[in-house]
Amino acid sequence: MADRPSSSSRAPAPSWTELNDLSSSSLGGEVIFSSDDWFAAAEMLLDTAEPQWREGFTEQGKWMDGWETRRKRIPGHDWCIIKLGLPGKVCGIELDTSFFTGNFAPRASVQAIWYDEPPVLEERPGGAGKAASKAQFAAAEELRSDKWETIVEMSALGAGYKDTCKTYLVVEDQGPFTHIRVNIFP
């Protein structure tokens, strides 16, 4: 993790972080839509391993262990839809900006829904260097995910330093849910 001189210490993780990570790819969590995966794919959000720093570059720029978009320079924001690996109650959301010290999204919100039948979207090619096609956007917009229940209001995120990288957000209405939408705001 990025270091910096600091006299502050990170608060202990809430007890809900010891529960199953419903979005984990090891449980079947899957990104079914992402508006932009230019620098690093949204699938990185589902990795349960500790974030890591790697020297080196990809075709899109510095290698980073997290979802990194081009950041909107036009109206709107980037977002992704995650099918939870296990449907269930969402007690809290942990958003980790480790190593993203100047290029992190400063704010995020989360919405959620329960689907009895899984939604059908175009298959995602996945990987960095991509953005959603017009057809993918059209299919995702039919889900009206922007109208799903907001379970985390727009909240500030910290920079990727040891003492500020983890943001723990408590969810009041815990569901159950099958899908979440993560919104990041430039």
Side-chain angles (χ1 to χ4, degrees):
M1 194 126 2
D3 248 335
R4 67 175 178 182
S6 175
S7 59
S8 67
S9 62
R10 188 172 36 190
S15 60
W16 53 258
T17 61
E18 297 174 24
L19 300 172
N20 287 332
D21 179 352
L22 301 179
S23 66
S24 168
S25 59
S26 65
L27 294 176
E30 175 184 9
V31 175
I32 62 172
F33 175 82
S34 175
S35 60
D36 188 297
D37 292 299
W38 189 255
F39 292 106
E43 281 77 5
M44 302 289 267
L45 295 169
L46 309 182
D47 189 354
T48 56
E50 283 296 311
Q52 59 180 298
W53 173 263
R54 281 191 202 165
E55 292 297 332
F57 290 84
T58 69
E59 291 179 14
Q60 286 69 43
K62 174 72 182 90
W63 185 92
M64 295 299 288
D65 190 1
W67 179 32
E68 187 176 8
T69 71
R70 288 177 280 196
R71 306 271 160 43
K72 294 277 189 240
R73 301 294 189 257
I74 58 173
H77 61 278
D78 286 308
W79 52 283
C80 69
I81 296 175
I82 298 169
K83 176 191 77 68
L84 299 177
L86 294 172
K89 291 186 176 186
V90 177
C91 299
I93 304 283
E94 176 186 339
L95 296 174
D96 187 339
T97 60
S98 291
F99 306 113
F100 287 87
T101 57
N103 55 343
F104 68 99
R107 297 175 306 282
S109 68
V110 181
Q111 294 166 277
I113 196 166
W114 175 274
Y115 278 122
D116 290 326
E117 296 293 324
V120 178
L121 293 175
E122 286 193 23
E123 191 170 326
R124 270 176 52 77
K130 298 176 178 65
S133 68
K134 287 182 181 181
Q136 288 170 319
F137 262 112
E141 287 170 354
E142 285 185 26
L143 299 178
R144 299 178 42 90
S145 60
D146 59 323
K147 304 295 186 207
W148 293 356
E149 180 180 349
T150 298
I151 61 172
V152 172
E153 296 290 338
M154 189 183 303
S155 302
L157 303 178
Y161 298 105
K162 286 182 179 180
D163 60 333
T164 58
C165 64
K166 292 184 186 270
T167 302
Y168 299 106
L169 303 160
V170 175
V171 173
E172 297 300 324
D173 183 356
Q174 298 179 354
F177 302 112
T178 59
H179 293 75
I180 62 172
R181 172 180 161 143
V182 177
N183 304 293
I184 57 174
F185 302 92

